[in-house]
Amino acid sequence: GENVEQHPSTLSVQEGDSAVIKCTYSDSASNYFPWYKQELGKRPQLIIDIRSNVGEKKDQRIAVTLNKTAKHFSLHITETQPEDSAVYFCAAGSNDYKLSFGAGTTVTVRA
Amino acid sequence: DTAVSQTPKYLVTQMGNDKSIKCEQNLGHDTMYWYKQDSKKFLKIMFSYNNKELIINETVPNRFSPKSPDKAHLNLHINSLELGDSAVYFCASSQRQGSTKLFFGSGTQLSVL
């Protein structure tokens, strides 16, 4: 089955700085790579996703990159703000219906 | 108007009891899931149903039994609760099976004493 590893487990950044979270996956059949954000005490919510036919995708201050050859993908948050503080999960999935999640990264943005 | 709703939000119970968590989605989605989030925040899939049919059944103790009376509902029944069952359980749905966006419920925090 798919194995997704996510680093770092915790990340503290100064407001306005950038944050980068990296994930690797093991199954070359994976073709869908979403990122979920979970604020304290709330449900995970999709913030951005990328499919294997695309190398990079951007949405305002958030960008994701995918390197299929190396089997890794990353989330980049620029100009971080206090409301970016949350747990971020990467995931990898394929057409066998199952998403495998990384262990999560707790991001703290210091004011 | 909540898209994926689950009840109860909190569940505190004694070891050995049997309890159920209910989930409903009003999005017209075909696929529903149960995820378990442990104290370290790790999200692990337990079950998935597509149009009432079980399609994913991970290595979960058979004390856990999902039931889907129709494609809008997926309930989770847990027998003989153990301390290690304490976690947050999330219901989720997606438009179809495969690589699509998951919509999560607000979670049920289960505490087994």
Side-chain angles (χ1 to χ4, degrees), chain B residues 18-21 34-36 46-47 49 54 57-67 75-89 110 112:
Chain B
D18 303 339
K19 290 293 178 186
S20 292
I21 308 171
W34 278 110
Y35 279 84
K36 179 180 179 181
M46 301 172 69
F47 302 103
Y49 273 73
L54 180 66
N57 185 355
E58 289 295 285
T59 308
V60 175
N62 57 15
R63 298 181 294 103
F64 290 79
S65 52
K67 280 193 172 51
N75 303 322
L76 183 64
H77 188 76
I78 315 170
N79 289 327
S80 303
L81 278 156
E82 299 177 357
L83 292 176
D85 297 333
S86 296
V88 180
Y89 292 84
L110 172 64
V112 182

